[in-house]
Amino acid sequence: MITMEELQSAIKLRVEKYNNKDFPLDKRAINTCELLDSQNQILAQDIKSFFDVPRQNLSAMDGYAIAQGSVISTDSTIEIIGESQAGSAFTGELAAGQGVRIFTGAVVPDSCDTVIMQENTNFAEIKDTLDKSQPYAITLSQTAQIDSNIRKQGEEIESGEAVLNVGKRINPADISLLANLGISQVKVFEPLIVGVLATGDELVAVGDELTSLAQIYNSNTPTLKTLLTDLPITIRDYGIIPDDLDKTTSAVNQAMQDCDVLISTAGVSVGDYDFLTTVIEQLGQINHYKVAMKPGKPFVFGELTKNVDKPVLYFGLPGNPLSTVVGTLQFVIPALWQMSGASLSEQPMQLNVKATLTNDIRKSVGRKDFQRGVLTQGEAGRYQVECFSSQQSHRIKQLSRANCFIVLDKDSGNVAAGNTVTVQPFPWLHS
């Protein structure tokens, strides 16, 4: 049985091959996306600036722009003959010993090489007596350095410089950058098509009526769709497939014609009515089956290859809700970001923190364990975590009450209160 880390590595290597050979990124379709719709999309082009940023020398603060050649030491006097505001630059000529009043973000006149902070002049003493429509004199109360308080043209971005590169996952800060450059549209990779299906005679779609005590609602599909919300993908829902070999084969065959990836929930164990593994082997291959983790041991990673132009990667999740969440977070989401063309630095990282355990944990050696808990921050910013006493994977209320997984290595046994443990906060708490 493969370890969780071995499976993560195997999936990553398979996706690298997929991106380089089966469905190369440079062969993928590209969409034009409006800037405000581009968050979490993957850039398919390098984006270059068409101008310098700043476009001209700008003042970093309110004060006075002083002409080149002026004496700018303590007690020097400067004649102020105008002003430069943001959006309204001073256009006159300046000689040594002269300057203009200037405001933060305003253009520094070409003939000026220094901006004096307003606080380093006697402006506060004379402001009530000034007629600003006429020239007036200020006195420096502190020596200034040439080039001080000026944001130089092009010091942040030079014209023609690449500001974002292919593989960037666009975030709000990127949108701010692009808006500052006047870019209203970007080229992004066309979303992958991801099929989802659930299996089981007992399942009923949410919103429909339960007509038998043997029936339960299909919670896995809504859970899975929600977990995948932020990904740049298009989801196709193939509904609930009954426990029937022919119907399962038909549904999988249709999905593999339509999709780049197929994700199923339930039907991957060894029961008499679990047909998915049989179908996957008929239409492709199972690369890995069963992983040494709890919950989620009967996880299937494979690919569908029969009568398709390129392999359709397959992820088979167990049927209980907790296993769906754990398997999706640990395996499916990282793989989908990688498949979508996000560069390594743009693929979300799993946040791990250390916390002090406040109660005892029971665990058997042999599998990596994800136990539900409540993480809090105590005195001096120290994290502490309480583990729920019961950890059965069918307990959906506990999953809702929890805000983290306590991650225990496969070789770990029971853990006593007071020990330090690794905790993974749920991503929706810090996204």
Coordinates of all heavy atoms in Angstrom, one line a residue, residues 8 19 48 136 162 174 186 198 217 223 266 281 289 380 395 421:
Q8 N 1.3 11.4 -3.6 CA 1.3 12.8 -4.1 C 2.5 12.9 -5.1 O 2.3 13.6 -6.1 CB 1.6 13.7 -2.9 CG 0.4 13.8 -2.0 CD 0.7 14.6 -0.7 OE1 1.8 14.5 -0.2 NE2 -0.3 15.4 -0.2
N19 N 1.3 17.4 -18.9 CA 1.4 18.8 -19.4 C 2.5 18.9 -20.5 O 2.4 19.9 -21.3 CB 1.8 19.7 -18.2 CG 0.6 20.0 -17.3 OD1 -0.5 19.7 -17.6 ND2 0.9 20.7 -16.2
K48 N 3.8 42.6 -20.7 CA 4.8 43.7 -20.6 C 4.1 45.0 -20.5 O 3.0 45.3 -21.0 CB 5.7 43.6 -21.9 CG 6.4 42.3 -22.0 CD 7.3 42.4 -23.3 CE 8.1 41.1 -23.4 NZ 9.0 41.1 -24.6
Y136 N 6.6 83.7 -3.0 CA 6.9 83.9 -1.6 C 8.2 83.1 -1.3 O 8.6 82.2 -2.0 CB 5.8 83.5 -0.7 CG 5.3 82.1 -0.8 CD1 5.9 81.1 0.1 CD2 4.4 81.6 -1.7 CE1 5.5 79.8 0.0 CE2 4.0 80.3 -1.8 CZ 4.5 79.4 -0.9 OH 4.1 78.1 -1.0
A162 N 8.7 42.8 -18.6 CA 7.6 41.8 -18.3 C 7.3 41.9 -16.8 O 8.1 41.7 -15.9 CB 8.1 40.4 -18.6
D174 N -2.4 41.2 -8.6 CA -2.1 41.2 -10.0 C -3.1 42.1 -10.8 O -2.7 42.8 -11.7 CB -2.1 39.8 -10.6 CG -1.1 38.9 -10.0 OD1 0.0 39.4 -9.6 OD2 -1.4 37.7 -9.8
V186 N -6.8 40.0 -20.6 CA -5.6 39.1 -20.5 C -5.9 37.8 -21.2 O -7.0 37.4 -21.4 CB -5.1 38.9 -19.1 CG1 -4.6 40.1 -18.4 CG2 -6.3 38.2 -18.3
A198 N -21.4 10.6 -9.0 CA -21.5 9.8 -7.8 C -22.2 8.5 -8.1 O -22.9 8.4 -9.1 CB -22.3 10.6 -6.8
Y217 N -29.1 11.3 1.1 CA -28.8 12.4 0.1 C -27.4 12.3 -0.4 O -26.4 11.9 0.4 CB -29.1 13.7 0.7 CG -30.6 14.1 0.7 CD1 -31.2 14.2 2.0 CD2 -31.3 14.2 -0.4 CE1 -32.6 14.6 2.0 CE2 -32.6 14.5 -0.4 CZ -33.3 14.7 0.8 OH -34.6 15.0 0.9
T223 N -20.3 18.8 -2.1 CA -19.0 19.1 -1.4 C -17.9 19.2 -2.3 O -17.1 20.2 -2.2 CB -18.8 17.9 -0.4 OG1 -19.9 17.8 0.5 CG2 -17.5 18.2 0.4
A266 N -17.5 7.3 -4.2 CA -18.0 6.0 -3.9 C -17.8 5.0 -5.0 O -17.3 5.4 -6.1 CB -19.5 6.1 -3.5
E281 N -10.4 -0.2 -15.3 CA -9.5 -1.1 -15.8 C -9.9 -1.5 -17.3 O -9.0 -1.8 -18.1 CB -9.4 -2.3 -14.9 CG -8.6 -2.1 -13.6 CD -8.5 -3.3 -12.8 OE1 -9.5 -4.0 -12.7 OE2 -7.4 -3.5 -12.1
Y289 N -3.9 2.2 -6.2 CA -5.1 1.9 -5.5 C -4.8 1.6 -4.0 O -3.9 0.8 -3.8 CB -5.8 0.7 -6.1 CG -7.1 0.3 -5.4 CD1 -8.1 1.2 -5.0 CD2 -7.3 -1.1 -5.1 CE1 -9.2 0.8 -4.4 CE2 -8.5 -1.5 -4.4 CZ -9.4 -0.5 -4.1 OH -10.5 -0.9 -3.4
A380 N 0.1 35.0 23.9 CA 1.4 35.2 23.1 C 1.3 34.6 21.7 O 2.4 34.3 21.1 CB 2.5 34.7 23.9
R395 N -19.1 10.9 10.5 CA -19.7 12.0 11.4 C -19.6 13.4 10.7 O -18.6 14.0 10.8 CB -19.0 12.0 12.7 CG -19.4 10.8 13.6 CD -18.7 10.8 14.9 NE -19.1 9.7 15.8 CZ -20.0 9.7 16.7 NH1 -20.7 10.9 16.8 NH2 -20.3 8.7 17.4
V421 N 1.7 19.1 18.0 CA 1.2 18.3 16.8 C 1.2 19.2 15.6 O 1.2 20.5 15.7 CB -0.2 17.7 17.0 CG1 -0.1 16.6 18.1 CG2 -1.2 18.7 17.5

